[in-house]
Amino acid sequence: MDISRDGTYLAIGFADGKMVVWNLLYGSVSSTVDDVHTSTVLCISFLRGKKVWTVSADAAGFVFLTHFAPAILGLSATSYLLLKNRIAFGLVSLPENLLNESFMGQASLVAIGGVNSVLVASLESSPRILWEFKRKASMQKSIPCIDWGKGKNLLLAIAWDTIIQVVEIFTSDIEIEDYEFSSFYESKHEVQALTWVTERVLLVLNSNNEMQLLHLDGFIVGEYNSFTEVPKELPLAAAELEAPYRVDEGIVGQLYNVDSAMRLAKGSRQQTFKGRGREVVALSVCGVIYLSLIHIS
């Protein structure tokens, strides 16, 4: 599921292949699409630079781009096939607050995560795959965790197994130019979720039920490979942030943000949507979706 850039719509994909777009202002269904995906919708995301466009992927390996246009009753939908034979477990479009206003082509960037690779695609005018980042053989097969951030340039954090790789993407005022593997981090436990909370800090949930704030100063420069020597000591600032917060073995644990805190139910599926100085946190527990709003100070 995902929330549109202006907070008006919520898009949800279902096990039967159906996609539903809700109008959050009126609490009503604006569109139901049941003739595009023929298998379980694994993930769905709004494109930030478009009005109401989504990209969605299903268990049969099809990825679709769908345009929702105003109609007499709600929204009408038109879908286009983007990829096939590509099972994606994560779709993350570039958040609006990271866009370079002088180059809105960035708004069409989306990261498509699969078990063996993460694709970065541009869906502006004629959709195309820009790069494919493949999982290293030394990493265990797992669903990747991906999130966009921004420092001096765009940043894409990709986590497979215990490794977090940060990719820096260079853009000009008119085009997307190139990328480099800027740094990586090796966790003691498998990474199960991550999100950028500042330009240089990642919030990470691992398989040991721990939450960690990781500072880029504690990352190793360059691209990960199985022969990289990891330093035994981290810079002081990074070491202080790295100490994990233990998630309680009971039903409720604490998830810490920079200056905010929220509750995370154990065993739930959690997604975070950023924009306009706020974070909307969606929790799905036993098929019931809960929405929470926290302010980032």
XYZ file of all heavy atoms in Angstrom, residues 90-185:
751
model
N 9.291 -5.111 -3.500
C 9.338 -3.745 -3.004
C 9.365 -2.751 -4.150
O 10.098 -2.940 -5.125
N 8.550 -1.724 -4.057
C 8.523 -0.625 -5.031
C 8.595 0.665 -4.245
O 7.708 0.961 -3.443
C 7.234 -0.656 -5.860
C 7.044 -1.810 -6.833
C 5.609 -1.834 -7.347
C 8.011 -1.690 -8.000
N 9.655 1.437 -4.444
C 9.823 2.677 -3.687
C 10.092 3.812 -4.655
O 11.143 3.858 -5.302
C 10.984 2.572 -2.670
C 11.066 3.849 -1.841
C 10.799 1.357 -1.763
N 9.125 4.713 -4.793
C 9.320 5.876 -5.653
C 9.978 6.989 -4.853
O 9.929 7.016 -3.620
C 7.985 6.354 -6.236
O 7.076 6.656 -5.207
N 10.599 7.916 -5.555
C 11.340 8.992 -4.899
C 10.374 9.926 -4.171
O 9.454 10.471 -4.782
C 12.140 9.770 -5.938
C 13.195 10.739 -5.408
C 14.304 9.969 -4.718
C 13.772 11.565 -6.542
N 10.530 10.129 -2.849
C 9.634 11.015 -2.097
C 9.695 12.451 -2.607
O 10.739 12.922 -3.058
C 10.164 10.922 -0.658
C 10.892 9.625 -0.607
C 11.500 9.464 -1.967
N 8.571 13.143 -2.485
C 8.464 14.505 -3.011
C 9.461 15.454 -2.358
O 10.005 16.343 -3.010
C 7.041 15.023 -2.811
C 6.783 16.382 -3.427
C 5.360 16.842 -3.197
O 4.669 16.253 -2.350
O 4.944 17.802 -3.868
N 9.751 15.252 -1.074
C 10.638 16.189 -0.374
C 12.096 16.039 -0.805
O 12.939 16.837 -0.424
C 10.528 15.992 1.138
C 10.920 14.598 1.583
O 10.502 13.614 0.979
N 11.697 14.506 2.647
N 12.411 15.012 -1.626
C 13.773 14.833 -2.113
C 13.960 15.324 -3.537
O 15.059 15.253 -4.080
C 14.165 13.345 -2.046
C 14.117 12.675 -0.669
C 14.640 11.254 -0.768
C 14.922 13.470 0.355
N 12.889 15.812 -4.148
C 12.965 16.206 -5.553
C 13.760 17.488 -5.746
O 13.711 18.408 -4.939
C 11.562 16.408 -6.136
C 10.637 15.193 -6.159
C 9.302 15.575 -6.756
C 11.266 14.054 -6.948
N 14.505 17.527 -6.850
C 15.175 18.742 -7.296
C 14.191 19.485 -8.186
O 13.856 19.024 -9.280
C 16.449 18.376 -8.069
C 17.194 19.600 -8.592
O 16.700 20.725 -8.488
N 18.362 19.382 -9.150
N 13.722 20.642 -7.739
C 12.670 21.355 -8.469
C 13.098 21.745 -9.879
O 12.274 21.907 -10.772
C 12.249 22.608 -7.701
C 11.561 22.290 -6.370
C 11.101 23.539 -5.661
O 11.347 24.639 -6.193
O 10.507 23.411 -4.572
N 14.403 21.888 -10.112
C 14.873 22.276 -11.442
C 14.889 21.101 -12.408
O 15.046 21.278 -13.604
C 16.283 22.884 -11.353
O 17.202 21.935 -10.849
N 14.744 19.890 -11.888
C 14.727 18.711 -12.752
C 13.669 17.748 -12.250
O 13.933 16.869 -11.459
C 16.099 18.035 -12.793
C 16.127 16.761 -13.599
C 15.458 16.671 -14.812
C 16.800 15.655 -13.134
C 15.464 15.500 -15.554
C 16.825 14.467 -13.863
C 16.154 14.407 -15.087
N 12.448 17.900 -12.735
C 11.345 17.087 -12.257
C 11.378 15.666 -12.811
O 10.572 14.832 -12.450
C 10.012 17.759 -12.601
C 9.762 19.019 -11.797
S 9.845 18.736 -9.998
C 8.417 17.671 -9.759
N 12.330 15.372 -13.725
C 12.477 14.008 -14.202
C 12.815 13.049 -13.086
O 12.556 11.851 -13.165
N 13.379 13.575 -11.990
C 13.667 12.738 -10.825
C 12.388 12.147 -10.237
O 12.407 11.072 -9.634
C 14.354 13.556 -9.733
C 15.758 14.010 -10.061
C 16.334 14.812 -8.905
O 15.653 15.102 -7.933
N 17.584 15.187 -9.022
N 11.285 12.854 -10.426
C 10.040 12.441 -9.797
C 9.558 11.094 -10.305
O 8.740 10.444 -9.663
C 8.959 13.499 -10.038
N 10.039 10.669 -11.453
C 9.596 9.407 -12.027
C 10.504 8.249 -11.639
O 10.313 7.130 -12.108
C 9.540 9.523 -13.554
O 10.841 9.707 -14.087
N 11.509 8.489 -10.797
C 12.421 7.427 -10.395
C 11.729 6.459 -9.435
O 11.040 6.873 -8.510
C 13.659 7.997 -9.717
C 14.706 8.679 -10.600
C 15.854 9.192 -9.749
C 15.228 7.717 -11.660
N 11.930 5.170 -9.665
C 11.385 4.163 -8.778
C 12.394 3.034 -8.641
O 13.065 2.666 -9.608
C 10.024 3.625 -9.305
C 10.177 2.972 -10.655
C 9.395 2.661 -8.311
N 12.553 2.523 -7.437
C 13.415 1.373 -7.179
C 12.532 0.137 -7.051
O 11.546 0.147 -6.302
C 14.231 1.577 -5.908
N 12.870 -0.906 -7.804
C 12.078 -2.130 -7.851
C 12.925 -3.257 -7.277
O 13.940 -3.643 -7.857
C 11.650 -2.460 -9.296
C 10.898 -1.268 -9.911
C 10.804 -3.721 -9.335
C 10.634 -1.406 -11.400
N 12.534 -3.774 -6.119
C 13.355 -4.738 -5.406
C 12.888 -6.171 -5.567
O 11.717 -6.482 -5.357
N 13.814 -7.056 -5.975
C 13.541 -8.485 -6.078
C 14.548 -9.265 -5.255
O 15.461 -8.687 -4.653
N 14.410 -10.582 -5.222
C 15.292 -11.412 -4.407
C 16.737 -11.334 -4.883
O 17.665 -11.353 -4.072
C 14.805 -12.876 -4.413
C 15.817 -13.793 -3.750
C 13.457 -12.986 -3.710
N 16.946 -11.212 -6.188
C 18.303 -11.250 -6.727
C 18.839 -9.911 -7.217
O 20.034 -9.782 -7.476
C 18.394 -12.269 -7.864
C 18.195 -13.689 -7.382
O 18.783 -14.101 -6.395
N 17.341 -14.436 -8.069
N 17.972 -8.920 -7.387
C 18.465 -7.627 -7.868
C 17.476 -6.515 -7.543
O 16.299 -6.769 -7.265
C 18.710 -7.662 -9.384
O 17.485 -7.803 -10.087
N 17.981 -5.283 -7.580
C 17.157 -4.085 -7.445
C 17.330 -3.263 -8.710
O 18.457 -2.950 -9.109
C 17.561 -3.250 -6.212
C 16.830 -1.903 -6.208
C 17.251 -4.002 -4.927
N 16.227 -2.955 -9.365
C 16.253 -2.126 -10.561
C 15.941 -0.686 -10.193
O 15.092 -0.415 -9.349
C 15.214 -2.601 -11.582
C 15.319 -4.024 -12.120
C 14.160 -4.292 -13.067
C 16.642 -4.242 -12.814
N 16.624 0.258 -10.842
C 16.245 1.670 -10.764
C 15.713 2.045 -12.136
O 16.420 1.923 -13.142
C 17.429 2.566 -10.384
C 17.020 4.038 -10.443
C 17.913 2.234 -8.970
N 14.455 2.447 -12.177
C 13.796 2.751 -13.446
C 13.331 4.195 -13.471
O 13.009 4.784 -12.440
C 12.605 1.824 -13.650
N 13.328 4.756 -14.665
C 12.761 6.079 -14.897
C 11.469 5.891 -15.682
O 11.471 5.258 -16.738
C 13.730 6.961 -15.692
O 13.098 8.181 -16.051
N 10.377 6.415 -15.164
C 9.085 6.257 -15.814
C 8.623 7.544 -16.482
O 7.458 7.713 -16.789
C 8.047 5.780 -14.786
C 8.423 4.504 -14.025
C 7.299 4.089 -13.097
C 8.773 3.384 -14.979
N 9.558 8.465 -16.698
C 9.257 9.735 -17.356
C 9.130 9.511 -18.855
O 10.026 8.935 -19.484
C 10.372 10.742 -17.072
C 10.106 12.133 -17.635
C 9.059 12.876 -16.827
O 8.734 12.442 -15.717
O 8.580 13.911 -17.340
N 8.042 9.963 -19.474
C 7.737 9.823 -20.909
C 7.868 8.363 -21.345
O 6.935 7.600 -21.207
C 8.598 10.771 -21.754
O 9.974 10.518 -21.529
N 9.025 7.932 -21.840
C 9.195 6.533 -22.230
C 9.919 5.791 -21.113
O 11.104 6.030 -20.862
C 10.002 6.437 -23.530
O 11.256 7.060 -23.380
N 9.230 4.893 -20.387
C 9.843 4.181 -19.256
C 11.070 3.382 -19.678
O 11.098 2.791 -20.760
C 8.715 3.255 -18.787
C 7.458 3.907 -19.243
C 7.815 4.541 -20.555
N 12.088 3.372 -18.827
C 13.308 2.623 -19.133
C 14.013 2.232 -17.835
O 13.867 2.905 -16.821
C 14.247 3.428 -20.023
C 14.846 4.655 -19.349
C 15.550 5.561 -20.352
N 16.323 6.619 -19.729
C 15.822 7.735 -19.249
N 14.519 7.944 -19.320
N 16.611 8.656 -18.713
N 14.753 1.130 -17.905
C 15.563 0.701 -16.781
C 16.903 1.425 -16.856
O 17.595 1.374 -17.879
C 15.794 -0.821 -16.816
C 14.460 -1.571 -16.817
C 16.655 -1.249 -15.631
C 13.606 -1.314 -15.614
N 17.278 2.100 -15.786
C 18.554 2.809 -15.760
C 19.693 1.889 -15.319
O 20.723 1.804 -15.980
C 18.469 4.010 -14.812
C 17.442 5.091 -15.171
C 17.422 6.173 -14.105
C 17.746 5.693 -16.538
N 19.490 1.211 -14.182
C 20.546 0.349 -13.648
C 19.923 -0.855 -12.962
O 18.767 -0.824 -12.539
C 21.408 1.104 -12.622
C 21.947 2.402 -13.138
C 22.819 2.584 -14.177
C 21.629 3.714 -12.659
N 23.070 3.921 -14.369
C 22.356 4.636 -13.447
C 20.827 4.202 -11.636
C 22.295 6.003 -13.250
C 20.749 5.559 -11.434
C 21.478 6.451 -12.234
N 20.730 -1.907 -12.863
C 20.350 -3.091 -12.105
C 21.471 -3.409 -11.118
O 22.614 -3.637 -11.514
C 20.110 -4.294 -13.011
C 19.693 -5.538 -12.248
C 19.357 -6.706 -13.159
O 19.726 -6.651 -14.353
O 18.734 -7.670 -12.686
N 21.142 -3.399 -9.836
C 22.106 -3.718 -8.790
C 21.847 -5.146 -8.321
O 20.782 -5.441 -7.757
C 21.979 -2.735 -7.619
C 22.098 -1.298 -8.033
C 21.095 -0.381 -7.736
C 23.210 -0.860 -8.738
C 21.199 0.946 -8.116
C 23.333 0.477 -9.127
C 22.333 1.378 -8.820
N 22.799 -6.037 -8.548
C 22.594 -7.450 -8.258
C 23.083 -7.822 -6.865
O 24.068 -7.281 -6.377
C 23.293 -8.305 -9.318
C 22.692 -8.150 -10.713
C 23.325 -9.120 -11.702
C 22.663 -9.007 -13.059
N 23.245 -9.975 -14.043
N 22.371 -8.762 -6.272
C 22.760 -9.283 -4.966
C 24.077 -10.050 -5.091
O 24.260 -10.845 -6.008
C 21.666 -10.215 -4.434
C 21.991 -10.894 -3.112
C 20.846 -11.815 -2.690
N 20.544 -12.807 -3.704
C 21.210 -13.960 -3.855
N 22.210 -14.262 -3.040
N 20.872 -14.817 -4.800
N 24.995 -9.798 -4.168
C 26.258 -10.516 -4.161
C 26.023 -11.981 -3.789
O 25.143 -12.298 -2.994
C 27.234 -9.892 -3.167
C 27.575 -8.432 -3.460
C 28.426 -8.306 -4.702
C 28.854 -6.854 -4.904
N 29.669 -6.680 -6.116
N 26.827 -12.868 -4.361
C 26.677 -14.298 -4.097
C 26.868 -14.636 -2.626
O 26.299 -15.602 -2.116
C 27.666 -15.086 -4.953
N 27.663 -13.823 -1.929
C 27.933 -14.083 -0.512
C 26.768 -13.683 0.385
O 26.732 -14.035 1.563
C 29.189 -13.337 -0.066
O 29.049 -11.946 -0.295
N 25.795 -12.929 -0.154
C 24.628 -12.539 0.623
C 23.564 -13.631 0.526
O 23.321 -14.171 -0.553
C 24.039 -11.222 0.097
C 24.978 -10.034 0.117
S 24.180 -8.598 -0.656
C 25.527 -7.409 -0.645
N 22.922 -13.933 1.648
C 21.838 -14.899 1.628
C 20.647 -14.317 0.866
O 20.394 -13.118 0.889
C 21.412 -15.247 3.056
C 22.475 -15.962 3.866
C 22.781 -17.343 3.319
O 21.872 -18.069 2.906
N 24.051 -17.705 3.294
N 19.908 -15.188 0.150
C 18.718 -14.731 -0.553
C 17.690 -14.226 0.447
O 17.380 -14.910 1.426
C 18.118 -15.857 -1.386
C 18.871 -16.160 -2.670
C 18.100 -17.119 -3.546
C 18.814 -17.332 -4.873
N 18.062 -18.234 -5.773
N 17.187 -13.047 0.215
C 16.175 -12.469 1.093
C 15.494 -11.335 0.353
O 15.995 -10.851 -0.668
C 16.808 -11.948 2.390
O 17.759 -10.950 2.108
N 14.353 -10.912 0.845
C 13.658 -9.777 0.256
C 14.426 -8.511 0.613
O 14.695 -8.252 1.782
C 12.216 -9.693 0.783
C 11.434 -10.936 0.358
C 11.529 -8.420 0.285
C 10.056 -11.024 0.952
N 14.813 -7.700 -0.374
C 15.607 -6.509 -0.063
C 14.781 -5.422 0.607
O 13.579 -5.301 0.366
C 16.098 -6.055 -1.442
C 15.025 -6.510 -2.376
C 14.543 -7.825 -1.819
N 15.438 -4.646 1.445
C 14.838 -3.451 2.039
C 15.443 -2.255 1.316
O 16.670 -2.173 1.178
C 15.143 -3.359 3.529
S 14.633 -4.803 4.462
N 14.630 -1.339 0.825
C 15.134 -0.213 0.043
C 14.454 1.080 0.484
O 13.292 1.083 0.872
C 14.919 -0.427 -1.479
C 13.481 -0.892 -1.769
C 15.914 -1.417 -2.035
C 13.206 -1.193 -3.229
N 15.228 2.178 0.424
C 14.650 3.482 0.749
C 15.492 4.582 0.120
O 16.722 4.468 0.032
C 14.564 3.690 2.262
C 13.674 4.876 2.628
O 12.680 5.110 1.906
O 13.955 5.559 3.625
N 14.820 5.632 -0.327
C 15.493 6.798 -0.903
C 15.850 7.801 0.181
O 15.089 8.021 1.120
C 14.591 7.504 -1.917
C 14.345 6.758 -3.192
C 13.227 6.030 -3.512
C 15.216 6.676 -4.323
N 13.353 5.504 -4.765
C 14.564 5.878 -5.294
C 16.483 7.180 -4.611
C 15.129 5.591 -6.534
C 17.052 6.889 -5.846
C 16.386 6.108 -6.790
N 16.999 8.432 0.025
C 17.407 9.526 0.894
C 18.140 10.562 0.064
O 18.284 10.428 -1.154
N 18.610 11.608 0.742
C 19.320 12.644 0.000
C 20.334 13.337 0.893
O 20.002 13.804 1.983
C 18.347 13.678 -0.565
C 19.017 14.683 -1.513
C 18.001 15.587 -2.182
C 18.666 16.516 -3.195
N 17.689 17.400 -3.865
N 21.572 13.365 0.435
C 22.616 14.151 1.056
C 22.959 15.248 0.068
O 22.089 15.997 -0.373
N 24.229 15.313 -0.346
C 24.603 16.223 -1.420
C 23.946 15.773 -2.710
O 23.554 16.588 -3.553
C 26.126 16.249 -1.571
C 26.627 17.184 -2.651
C 28.150 17.156 -2.719
C 28.649 18.086 -3.822
N 30.143 18.056 -3.927
N 23.825 14.443 -2.895
C 23.156 13.850 -4.052
C 22.075 12.894 -3.558
O 21.899 12.686 -2.359
C 24.176 13.099 -4.924
C 25.244 14.015 -5.486
O 24.961 14.905 -6.262
N 26.491 13.796 -5.068
N 21.335 12.308 -4.493
C 20.347 11.306 -4.129
C 21.052 10.073 -3.571
O 22.129 9.692 -4.041
C 19.519 10.910 -5.354
C 18.534 11.939 -5.907
C 17.836 11.381 -7.142
C 17.516 12.324 -4.854
N 20.427 9.439 -2.588
C 20.978 8.227 -1.985
C 19.926 7.132 -2.027
O 18.737 7.386 -1.802
C 21.386 8.477 -0.530
C 22.451 9.556 -0.280
C 22.614 9.782 1.220
C 23.785 9.163 -0.906
N 20.368 5.923 -2.327
C 19.489 4.770 -2.297
C 20.127 3.726 -1.385
O 21.233 3.250 -1.643
C 19.303 4.188 -3.701
C 18.406 2.947 -3.804
C 16.978 3.286 -3.387
C 18.419 2.382 -5.223
N 19.445 3.396 -0.290
C 19.930 2.365 0.637
C 19.277 1.042 0.263
O 18.053 0.952 0.130
C 19.595 2.736 2.072
N 20.107 0.008 0.077
C 19.631 -1.329 -0.279
C 20.195 -2.320 0.730
O 21.407 -2.363 0.950
C 20.100 -1.739 -1.690
C 19.671 -0.708 -2.738
C 19.563 -3.124 -2.053
C 20.285 -0.948 -4.112
N 19.330 -3.110 1.349
C 19.788 -4.102 2.326
C 19.358 -5.495 1.904
O 18.175 -5.737 1.645
C 19.241 -3.784 3.711
N 20.325 -6.393 1.799
C 20.071 -7.822 1.625
C 20.764 -8.536 2.770
O 21.932 -8.245 3.072
C 20.675 -8.346 0.324
C 19.797 -8.336 -0.872
C 18.624 -9.006 -1.054
C 20.025 -7.618 -2.092
N 18.105 -8.754 -2.304
C 18.952 -7.905 -2.963
C 21.043 -6.775 -2.537
C 18.868 -7.384 -4.245
C 20.952 -6.250 -3.810
C 19.878 -6.549 -4.641
N 20.075 -9.460 3.387
C 20.693 -10.236 4.450
C 21.231 -9.276 5.528
O 20.479 -8.493 6.091
C 21.791 -11.119 3.862
C 22.296 -12.185 4.824
O 21.579 -12.511 5.781
O 23.425 -12.669 4.637
N 22.515 -9.288 5.790
C 23.105 -8.438 6.840
C 23.818 -7.211 6.280
O 24.395 -6.440 7.041
C 24.110 -9.246 7.677
O 25.164 -9.715 6.812
C 23.438 -10.436 8.347
N 23.784 -7.027 4.966
C 24.554 -5.956 4.324
C 23.656 -4.812 3.874
O 22.638 -5.030 3.198
C 25.342 -6.485 3.106
C 26.221 -7.667 3.500
C 26.176 -5.368 2.487
C 27.239 -7.368 4.579
N 24.030 -3.588 4.244
C 23.361 -2.379 3.757
C 24.325 -1.670 2.803
O 25.430 -1.292 3.210
C 22.985 -1.421 4.899
C 22.089 -2.130 5.915
C 22.287 -0.181 4.345
C 21.836 -1.312 7.175
N 23.938 -1.535 1.553
C 24.752 -0.835 0.559
C 24.095 0.493 0.229
O 22.900 0.552 -0.068
C 24.888 -1.669 -0.713
C 25.677 -0.995 -1.832
C 27.175 -0.941 -1.538
O 27.827 -1.969 -1.443
N 27.713 0.270 -1.418
N 24.859 1.575 0.294
C 24.347 2.898 -0.074
C 24.865 3.250 -1.461
O 26.070 3.182 -1.719
C 24.782 3.972 0.943
C 24.308 5.355 0.487
C 24.209 3.652 2.322
N 23.943 3.597 -2.352
C 24.277 3.991 -3.715
C 24.014 5.485 -3.856
O 22.924 5.964 -3.510
C 23.428 3.221 -4.747
C 23.829 3.610 -6.166
C 23.564 1.715 -4.540
N 24.997 6.230 -4.338
C 24.850 7.669 -4.557
C 24.560 7.908 -6.027
O 25.277 7.415 -6.895
C 26.119 8.399 -4.137
C 25.987 9.914 -4.145
C 27.171 10.610 -3.499
O 28.134 9.907 -3.113
O 27.134 11.853 -3.376
N 23.496 8.651 -6.312
C 23.063 8.888 -7.694
C 23.245 10.360 -8.025
O 22.761 11.245 -7.310
C 21.597 8.461 -7.875
C 21.482 6.945 -7.662
C 21.078 8.846 -9.256
C 20.076 6.420 -7.691
N 23.941 10.603 -9.127
C 24.290 11.962 -9.530
C 23.321 12.447 -10.611
O 23.064 11.749 -11.586
C 25.722 12.003 -10.060
C 26.743 11.474 -9.088
C 27.221 10.175 -9.198
C 27.199 12.259 -8.041
C 28.143 9.676 -8.297
C 28.123 11.771 -7.128
C 28.599 10.481 -7.256
N 22.803 13.648 -10.394
C 21.898 14.252 -11.370
C 22.322 15.687 -11.632
O 22.968 16.330 -10.801
C 20.441 14.249 -10.864
O 20.354 15.071 -9.692
C 19.971 12.846 -10.530
N 21.965 16.167 -12.808
C 22.166 17.578 -13.137
C 20.793 18.224 -13.209
O 19.789 17.617 -12.856
C 22.898 17.712 -14.477
O 22.077 17.239 -15.536
N 20.737 19.452 -13.682
C 19.449 20.133 -13.810
C 18.603 19.569 -14.943
O 17.421 19.882 -15.046
C 19.655 21.633 -14.046
C 20.168 22.340 -12.801
O 20.060 21.739 -11.708
O 20.681 23.467 -12.927
N 19.204 18.737 -15.796
C 18.461 18.262 -16.966
C 18.427 16.741 -17.103
O 17.624 16.223 -17.873
C 19.029 18.868 -18.272
C 20.508 18.502 -18.422
C 18.823 20.378 -18.292
C 21.100 18.944 -19.768
N 19.279 16.010 -16.377
C 19.278 14.571 -16.573
C 19.859 13.826 -15.372
O 20.527 14.404 -14.516
C 20.066 14.202 -17.831
C 21.553 14.541 -17.745
C 22.308 14.155 -18.999
O 21.742 13.443 -19.832
O 23.468 14.565 -19.125
N 19.577 12.519 -15.355
C 20.176 11.618 -14.388
C 21.470 11.123 -15.002
O 21.474 10.546 -16.086
C 19.217 10.442 -14.093
C 17.902 10.975 -13.541
C 19.848 9.462 -13.113
C 16.788 9.966 -13.531
N 22.598 11.342 -14.325
C 23.885 11.125 -14.956
C 24.517 9.769 -14.655
O 24.808 8.999 -15.571
C 24.846 12.250 -14.549
C 24.394 13.621 -15.031
C 25.329 14.727 -14.592
O 26.026 14.554 -13.577
O 25.364 15.773 -15.274
N 24.769 9.454 -13.407
C 25.524 8.243 -13.092
C 25.328 7.888 -11.625
O 24.586 8.561 -10.908
C 27.009 8.462 -13.395
C 27.751 7.157 -13.637
O 27.128 6.087 -13.490
O 28.952 7.213 -13.954
N 25.988 6.841 -11.178
C 25.908 6.419 -9.783
C 27.257 5.866 -9.338
O 28.136 5.558 -10.156
C 24.838 5.332 -9.602
C 25.263 3.986 -10.143
C 25.938 3.068 -9.330
C 25.011 3.635 -11.467
C 26.343 1.846 -9.831
C 25.415 2.412 -11.972
C 26.083 1.523 -11.154
O 26.497 0.311 -11.642
N 27.410 5.731 -8.033
C 28.558 5.025 -7.485
C 28.147 4.373 -6.167
O 27.229 4.839 -5.487
C 29.752 5.950 -7.264
C 29.597 6.933 -6.116
C 30.880 7.727 -5.864
O 31.770 7.724 -6.720
O 30.974 8.337 -4.781
N 28.801 3.262 -5.822
C 28.577 2.628 -4.536
C 29.387 3.410 -3.503
O 30.607 3.280 -3.442
C 29.007 1.169 -4.574
C 28.192 0.329 -5.527
C 28.703 -0.042 -6.754
C 26.909 -0.070 -5.186
C 27.958 -0.817 -7.629
C 26.147 -0.837 -6.051
C 26.676 -1.211 -7.281
N 28.703 4.230 -2.716
C 29.420 5.161 -1.844
C 29.898 4.515 -0.546
O 30.999 4.790 -0.083
C 28.553 6.376 -1.533
O 27.353 5.985 -0.892
N 29.086 3.653 0.076
C 29.486 3.054 1.355
C 28.584 1.869 1.687
O 27.518 1.693 1.084
C 29.424 4.087 2.483
O 28.108 4.596 2.631
N 29.016 1.064 2.671
C 28.200 -0.066 3.093
C 28.400 -0.329 4.579
O 29.349 0.155 5.204
C 28.525 -1.326 2.277
C 29.879 -1.918 2.571
C 30.049 -2.881 3.560
C 30.999 -1.504 1.861
C 31.298 -3.414 3.834
C 32.253 -2.031 2.124
C 32.404 -2.991 3.118
N 27.487 -1.134 5.134
C 27.529 -1.480 6.559
C 27.173 -2.950 6.697
O 26.267 -3.451 6.015
C 26.529 -0.630 7.336
C 26.462 -0.922 8.821
C 27.299 -0.271 9.716
C 25.545 -1.854 9.326
C 27.242 -0.542 11.074
C 25.477 -2.127 10.687
C 26.334 -1.464 11.550
O 26.274 -1.727 12.897
